[in-house]
Amino acid sequence: MSLLEAQSRLASAQAVTILTGAGISADSGVPTFRGTDGLWRNFRAEDLATPEAFERDPRLVWEWYNWRRELIATKRPNSAHLAIASSESRIGNVWLITQNVDGLHRAAGSTRLSEIHGNIWMVRCTECGAVTENHLIPLPLLPHCGRCGGLLRPHIVWFGESLREEDLARCAKQLQACEVLLVIGTSGVVYPAAGFASVAKEAGACVIEVNLDQTPQSDLVDIALRGRAKDLVPLLLQAGK
């Protein structure tokens, strides 16, 4: 019954916001790069993805990101990514917020999105601030800006850094305006995204969760569906549209 109710809510909604986390990309074989999956040469992701680590040893950090880029380059968008991308043509007002940096949503065709933690295929100059797309594998160590010669860094929001104000403003607008918030494959523990369900619910939205396991947000949401994103998301977004 919950699946049918979720399908009905999404089919009738004119404004939908979608929040995705690591669970959707796990179905494409992308590891989390944190916890046991995050170990690389005995380094934890939390020890490498920081401004301090980059300042201390930018070559080491870039070696890690090159390894990640090489791994992610072998992965492809799955049916959940594709269903979200195709929903842009069927739902009047749909906006995607993703915590993932792997670029698979863009590869699937999504254009109306906020990548709040950045994108591993984008680089930013530490001198002039220019942001450019770069799919070169491997990148030379150390990569430098073609405009000013400054050292490039991954265009990623690292531990200890704040999310970009423009992204937060866009997210707040979409969360408060949506009729349905669809939360897919996110643990519900990393802020500020962990608070997005509360924001949408307080604004009157129906909140639907898709996850393999119970999360800290499960008791808050209106409908909680257990299963893989690649199986459930196409059923939810393609029904009745």
Short mmCIF file of all heavy atoms in Angstrom, two decimals, residues 26 29 34 43 61-62 72 75-76 78 89 103 112 114 145 153 155 177 183-184 196 204 212 231:
data_model
loop_
_atom_site.label_atom_id
_atom_site.label_comp_id
_atom_site.label_asym_id
_atom_site.label_seq_id
_atom_site.Cartn_x
_atom_site.Cartn_y
_atom_site.Cartn_z
N ALA A 26 25.67 3.55 -4.89
CA ALA A 26 26.11 2.20 -4.51
C ALA A 26 25.55 1.17 -5.48
O ALA A 26 26.20 0.15 -5.75
CB ALA A 26 25.67 1.89 -3.08
N GLY A 29 27.82 0.60 -8.14
CA GLY A 29 29.13 0.06 -7.73
C GLY A 29 30.11 1.09 -7.21
O GLY A 29 31.29 0.79 -7.07
N ARG A 34 34.31 6.25 2.52
CA ARG A 34 34.41 6.53 3.95
C ARG A 34 34.33 5.20 4.69
O ARG A 34 33.97 4.18 4.11
CB ARG A 34 33.29 7.48 4.40
CG ARG A 34 33.37 8.86 3.80
CD ARG A 34 32.27 9.76 4.30
NE ARG A 34 32.42 10.05 5.72
CZ ARG A 34 31.54 10.77 6.42
NH1 ARG A 34 30.46 11.24 5.83
NH2 ARG A 34 31.73 11.00 7.70
N PHE A 43 45.24 5.53 4.79
CA PHE A 43 44.65 6.83 5.11
C PHE A 43 43.13 6.71 5.09
O PHE A 43 42.56 6.02 4.25
CB PHE A 43 45.08 7.89 4.08
CG PHE A 43 46.53 8.27 4.14
CD1 PHE A 43 47.45 7.67 3.30
CD2 PHE A 43 46.97 9.22 5.03
CE1 PHE A 43 48.78 8.02 3.34
CE2 PHE A 43 48.31 9.58 5.09
CZ PHE A 43 49.22 8.98 4.24
N VAL A 61 47.04 14.27 -1.65
CA VAL A 61 45.59 14.43 -1.81
C VAL A 61 45.20 14.21 -3.27
O VAL A 61 44.21 13.53 -3.57
CB VAL A 61 45.14 15.81 -1.32
CG1 VAL A 61 43.66 16.05 -1.65
CG2 VAL A 61 45.36 15.94 0.19
N TRP A 62 45.99 14.75 -4.19
CA TRP A 62 45.66 14.57 -5.61
C TRP A 62 45.85 13.11 -6.05
O TRP A 62 45.12 12.61 -6.90
CB TRP A 62 46.50 15.51 -6.48
CG TRP A 62 45.77 16.75 -6.85
CD1 TRP A 62 46.12 18.04 -6.59
CD2 TRP A 62 44.52 16.83 -7.56
NE1 TRP A 62 45.17 18.92 -7.08
CE2 TRP A 62 44.19 18.20 -7.68
CE3 TRP A 62 43.65 15.88 -8.10
CZ2 TRP A 62 43.03 18.64 -8.32
CZ3 TRP A 62 42.50 16.32 -8.74
CH2 TRP A 62 42.20 17.67 -8.84
N ILE A 72 35.71 5.76 -10.36
CA ILE A 72 34.37 6.25 -10.72
C ILE A 72 34.18 6.25 -12.23
O ILE A 72 33.06 6.02 -12.72
CB ILE A 72 34.15 7.65 -10.13
CG1 ILE A 72 34.05 7.58 -8.60
CG2 ILE A 72 32.89 8.30 -10.70
CD1 ILE A 72 34.05 8.92 -7.91
N LYS A 75 32.23 3.45 -13.75
CA LYS A 75 30.84 3.24 -13.34
C LYS A 75 29.88 3.99 -14.25
O LYS A 75 30.24 4.99 -14.87
CB LYS A 75 30.63 3.69 -11.89
CG LYS A 75 31.66 3.15 -10.91
CD LYS A 75 31.76 1.62 -10.95
CE LYS A 75 32.83 1.12 -9.99
NZ LYS A 75 33.02 -0.35 -10.09
N ARG A 76 28.66 3.52 -14.31
CA ARG A 76 27.65 4.12 -15.18
C ARG A 76 26.38 4.41 -14.38
O ARG A 76 26.09 3.73 -13.39
CB ARG A 76 27.31 3.18 -16.34
CG ARG A 76 28.49 2.91 -17.27
CD ARG A 76 28.89 4.15 -18.03
NE ARG A 76 30.05 3.92 -18.89
CZ ARG A 76 31.30 4.17 -18.54
NH1 ARG A 76 31.57 4.64 -17.33
NH2 ARG A 76 32.30 3.95 -19.37
N ASN A 78 22.73 4.19 -13.08
CA ASN A 78 21.80 3.05 -13.05
C ASN A 78 20.37 3.54 -13.31
O ASN A 78 20.15 4.72 -13.61
CB ASN A 78 21.92 2.30 -11.72
CG ASN A 78 21.59 3.16 -10.51
OD1 ASN A 78 20.48 3.71 -10.40
ND2 ASN A 78 22.54 3.31 -9.58
N SER A 89 11.26 16.02 -17.66
CA SER A 89 10.34 16.31 -18.77
C SER A 89 8.89 16.00 -18.43
O SER A 89 7.98 16.33 -19.20
CB SER A 89 10.75 15.52 -20.02
OG SER A 89 10.64 14.12 -19.78
N GLY A 103 29.24 12.63 -10.13
CA GLY A 103 28.83 13.12 -11.44
C GLY A 103 27.87 12.21 -12.19
O GLY A 103 27.53 12.49 -13.35
N ARG A 112 18.67 19.97 -13.86
CA ARG A 112 18.11 20.81 -12.80
C ARG A 112 18.55 20.25 -11.45
O ARG A 112 17.83 19.47 -10.82
CB ARG A 112 16.58 20.85 -12.91
CG ARG A 112 16.07 21.47 -14.20
CD ARG A 112 14.55 21.38 -14.32
NE ARG A 112 13.87 21.92 -13.16
CZ ARG A 112 13.67 23.22 -12.93
NH1 ARG A 112 14.12 24.11 -13.81
NH2 ARG A 112 13.04 23.64 -11.85
N SER A 114 21.41 20.59 -7.81
CA SER A 114 22.41 21.21 -6.94
C SER A 114 23.31 20.09 -6.43
O SER A 114 22.85 19.18 -5.74
CB SER A 114 21.75 21.92 -5.76
OG SER A 114 20.94 22.99 -6.17
N CYS A 145 46.37 25.72 -13.06
CA CYS A 145 45.37 26.47 -13.79
C CYS A 145 45.91 26.94 -15.14
O CYS A 145 47.01 27.50 -15.21
CB CYS A 145 44.92 27.67 -12.94
SG CYS A 145 43.73 28.76 -13.73
N ARG A 153 42.71 22.49 -7.20
CA ARG A 153 42.22 21.55 -6.20
C ARG A 153 40.91 20.97 -6.68
O ARG A 153 40.24 21.55 -7.56
CB ARG A 153 42.01 22.25 -4.84
CG ARG A 153 41.06 23.42 -4.88
CD ARG A 153 40.51 23.77 -3.52
NE ARG A 153 39.43 22.85 -3.13
CZ ARG A 153 38.78 22.91 -1.96
NH1 ARG A 153 39.12 23.82 -1.06
NH2 ARG A 153 37.80 22.07 -1.69
N HIS A 155 37.07 20.43 -6.92
CA HIS A 155 35.95 21.33 -6.60
C HIS A 155 34.97 20.56 -5.72
O HIS A 155 33.86 20.23 -6.11
CB HIS A 155 35.29 21.82 -7.88
CG HIS A 155 34.26 22.90 -7.65
ND1 HIS A 155 34.52 24.01 -6.91
CD2 HIS A 155 32.96 23.00 -8.07
CE1 HIS A 155 33.43 24.78 -6.88
NE2 HIS A 155 32.47 24.17 -7.57
N ALA A 177 9.06 24.92 -1.42
CA ALA A 177 8.06 25.03 -2.47
C ALA A 177 7.51 23.69 -2.94
O ALA A 177 6.47 23.64 -3.60
CB ALA A 177 8.65 25.77 -3.67
N VAL A 183 13.41 11.30 -0.77
CA VAL A 183 14.75 11.15 -0.18
C VAL A 183 15.25 9.75 -0.51
O VAL A 183 14.66 8.75 -0.09
CB VAL A 183 14.71 11.36 1.35
CG1 VAL A 183 16.12 11.25 1.93
CG2 VAL A 183 14.08 12.71 1.70
N ILE A 184 16.36 9.67 -1.25
CA ILE A 184 16.83 8.39 -1.78
C ILE A 184 18.27 8.09 -1.33
O ILE A 184 19.19 8.85 -1.62
CB ILE A 184 16.81 8.41 -3.33
CG1 ILE A 184 15.42 8.77 -3.85
CG2 ILE A 184 17.26 7.06 -3.89
CD1 ILE A 184 15.42 9.16 -5.33
N PHE A 196 16.98 18.46 5.81
CA PHE A 196 16.13 18.87 4.68
C PHE A 196 14.72 18.29 4.79
O PHE A 196 13.74 18.92 4.39
CB PHE A 196 16.77 18.47 3.36
CG PHE A 196 17.96 19.31 2.98
CD1 PHE A 196 18.70 19.01 1.84
CD2 PHE A 196 18.34 20.40 3.74
CE1 PHE A 196 19.79 19.78 1.48
CE2 PHE A 196 19.44 21.18 3.38
CZ PHE A 196 20.16 20.86 2.25
N GLY A 204 4.87 21.71 4.59
CA GLY A 204 3.66 21.05 4.11
C GLY A 204 3.85 19.95 3.10
O GLY A 204 2.87 19.42 2.57
N LEU A 212 17.64 1.16 1.91
CA LEU A 212 17.72 -0.26 2.27
C LEU A 212 17.40 -0.48 3.74
O LEU A 212 16.81 -1.49 4.12
CB LEU A 212 19.12 -0.79 1.98
CG LEU A 212 19.41 -1.27 0.56
CD1 LEU A 212 20.89 -1.61 0.42
CD2 LEU A 212 18.55 -2.46 0.19
N ASP A 231 15.71 -0.28 -8.04
CA ASP A 231 14.46 -1.02 -8.22
C ASP A 231 13.24 -0.14 -7.95
O ASP A 231 12.25 -0.19 -8.70
CB ASP A 231 14.43 -2.23 -7.27
CG ASP A 231 15.54 -3.21 -7.55
OD1 ASP A 231 15.91 -3.38 -8.73
OD2 ASP A 231 16.06 -3.80 -6.59
#
